[in-house]
Amino acid sequence: MILRALAFACLVLAGGSAAAQDRTVNIYNWSDYIDPAVLESFTKQTGIKVVYDTFDTNEILETKLLAGRSGYDVVVPSGPFLQRLIRASVFQKLDRDRLPNLRNAWPEIAARLAAFDPGNLHGVNYMWGTTGLGVNLARVRERLGPDQPLDTWDLLLKPELSGKLADCGIHVLDAPEDIFPGVLKALGLEPDSKKPEDLQKAADALTAVRGNVRKFHSSEYINALANGDICLAVGYSGDILQAKKRAEEAKNGIGIAYLIPREGALMWFDSLAIPTDAPHPVEAHAFIDFLLRPEVAAANTNFIAYASGVGAARPLVRPEILADPGIYPDAAAFGRLFTNTAPDERAQRVVTRLWTRIRTGR
Ligand code: N2P
């Protein structure tokens, strides 16, 4: 009897300590989207080990999640993908009792996110930003002359302009949900239109300049801009500002600007969400709650140049970042931003077919 009790106690102890050692959280986040020091301090403070993988398009994330058993505990879809994946029951409801730092969230941003996730039941905003233009100022000026405005979709969509930039290199995000809205807006159409005839017009405009685009890719443009390998990128705000910072640190004389096109640009929201089949939901909540600490959110914003959904972080964000209209748009730029929603299955088939043709140039 005593032996048995002892054996049981040993088992419990062994199990307990193994569990303590084993506490892990598996994160699947966008590339270039966190301060690595944040991951270290999370492990130091909680004892939870972080396994961290990255992706650079919503489509890759969506495919993994729809296949099921991804093994991930926390993932970061953009609005329309959050919306569609909630409908497919991919995410669990968040346990608010485990997220005391939700009180630090930015109410206006949470309200906008509710368009994709009614009641904010499944997602918490991590970062938000815009999709616009990254420009190598000197080289673009030299080719387009002093009078050409640079904050316009014309740089890509007017064949006579993108034709002059083709040899110094243009990259475009490999993400129809990011590119179609801007192109639709530039054409004077509804940016969130799912009408096949509108999508066809946007596709035609892109096909007309396809030959001027060196690559459709969603993360290589950071280094390509910073090294001077390309002179125009249609990309994510903070990524382009990271390219600017890399060039400044390298002191290579390359000046990069992020410009929100005057015609308008897409504003997007990337949310932290927990898959229904996450192996470590408790640790997932602990990780999300850690990211909602104002000092942690500010460290991330300072590092990656995206605005955090944690409103309470703003006083801790570096003043030059707070003052950067590419990160925190001023009222005028804000008025020109729009959002998008998920296409239904039929519209998605149209988008996928058109996008494949644009990318392959056929
Ligand atoms: C990070 C890109 C995140 C923005 N590299 C995509 N919504």
Side-chain angles (χ1 to χ4, degrees):
M1 188 65 203
I2 292 174
L3 265 182
R4 252 206 196 165
L6 260 178
F8 181 71
C10 284
L11 267 179
V12 168
L13 275 176
S17 71
Q21 282 165 12
D22 274 344
R23 286 191 82 193
T24 295
V25 66
N26 298 321
I27 312 294
Y28 198 36
N29 192 9
W30 293 82
S31 48
D32 304 291
Y33 218 30
I34 200 157
D35 177 353
V38 161
L39 299 178
E40 274 170 42
S41 71
F42 172 73
T43 301
K44 225 181 253 167
Q45 293 188 37
T46 62
I48 301 170
K49 193 177 131 213
V50 179
V51 179
Y52 193 85
D53 291 339
T54 59
F55 57 87
D56 67 2
T57 74
N58 275 302
E59 286 77 5
I60 295 177
L61 170 65
E62 182 173 61
T63 305
K64 282 222 170 137
L65 292 173
L66 289 176
R69 296 175 183 247
S70 66
Y72 291 118
D73 298 304
V74 178
V75 298
V76 193
S78 307
F81 287 79
L82 176 71
Q83 183 181 30
R84 185 151 78 183
L85 289 166
I86 290 171
R87 287 190 201 136
S89 306
V90 163
F91 298 122
Q92 52 183 273
K93 283 198 183 131
L94 298 172
D95 179 351
R96 294 188 156 254
D97 293 340
R98 291 188 184 276
L99 300 172
N101 285 317
L102 263 181
R103 62 172 175 260
N104 301 320
W106 191 337
E108 286 83 357
I109 298 295
R112 281 174 174 252
L113 195 62
F116 306 101
D117 173 24
N120 298 112
L121 298 179
H122 305 83
V124 177
N125 182 246
Y126 175 52
M127 298 282 162
W128 55 275
T130 55
T131 299
L133 305 171
V135 176
N136 178 324
L137 286 169
R139 297 182 75 188
V140 169
R141 271 274 164 253
E142 155 198 307
R143 282 172 167 76
L144 302 186
D147 301 328
Q148 170 62 45
L150 300 184
D151 60 338
T152 162
W153 290 112
D154 287 354
L155 259 51
L156 174 70
L157 297 177
K158 285 243 157 85
E160 63 275 24
L161 297 183
S162 54
K164 287 186 189 150
L165 302 177
D167 73 307
C168 70
I170 301 178
H171 277 197
V172 174
L173 290 174
D174 185 8
E177 70 279 10
D178 275 288
I179 301 300
F180 275 120
V183 174
L184 286 165
K185 182 76 188 167
L187 297 176
L189 299 165
E190 153 61 38
D192 195 30
S193 176
K194 312 294 184 204
K195 287 188 200 150
E197 60 272 27
D198 288 354
L199 294 167
Q200 183 66 54
K201 281 181 197 150
D204 290 345
L206 287 164
T207 303
V209 294
R210 172 65 184 91
N212 299 332
V213 176
R214 188 178 292 168
K215 199 166 201 173
F216 286 88
H217 196 280
S218 296
S219 52
E220 279 180 17
Y221 62 96
I222 304 182
N223 277 330
L225 268 178
N227 298 337
D229 291 340
I230 58 172
C231 59
L232 175 65
V234 181
Y236 300 124
S237 45
D239 285 15
I240 289 160
L241 291 161
Q242 288 179 46
K244 177 181 151 116
K245 194 162 90 179
R246 281 183 209 180
E248 280 163 7
E249 281 164 8
K251 298 199 170 64
N252 61 12
I254 294 172
I256 292 160
Y258 173 65
L259 304 171
I260 296 178
R262 54 180 63 190
E263 299 92 339
L266 177 71
M267 177 188 194
W268 43 256
F269 308 86
D270 294 340
S271 296
L272 301 157
I274 306 177
T276 314
D277 59 3
H280 312 102
V282 173
E283 288 76 9
H285 282 88
F287 186 75
I288 293 175
D289 200 54
F290 190 76
L291 294 181
L292 293 173
R293 293 189 192 179
E295 70 281 9
V296 171
N300 278 330
T301 285
N302 286 333
F303 194 88
I304 64 178
Y306 285 100
S308 163
V310 176
R314 275 174 297 173
L316 305 172
V317 169
R318 281 207 306 270
E320 68 272 24
I321 293 204
L322 269 186
D324 189 328
I327 306 174
Y328 291 90
D330 52 32
F334 213 90
R336 285 182 277 119
L337 301 179
F338 46 78
T339 56
N340 63 339
T341 58
D344 63 15
E345 253 173 74
R346 256 177 81 186
Q348 183 61 51
R349 274 199 294 276
V350 175
V351 168
T352 306
R353 179 174 52 78
L354 292 172
W355 191 251
T356 306
R357 279 207 205 145
I358 293 162
R359 271 180 46 189
T360 55
R362 267 176 271 138

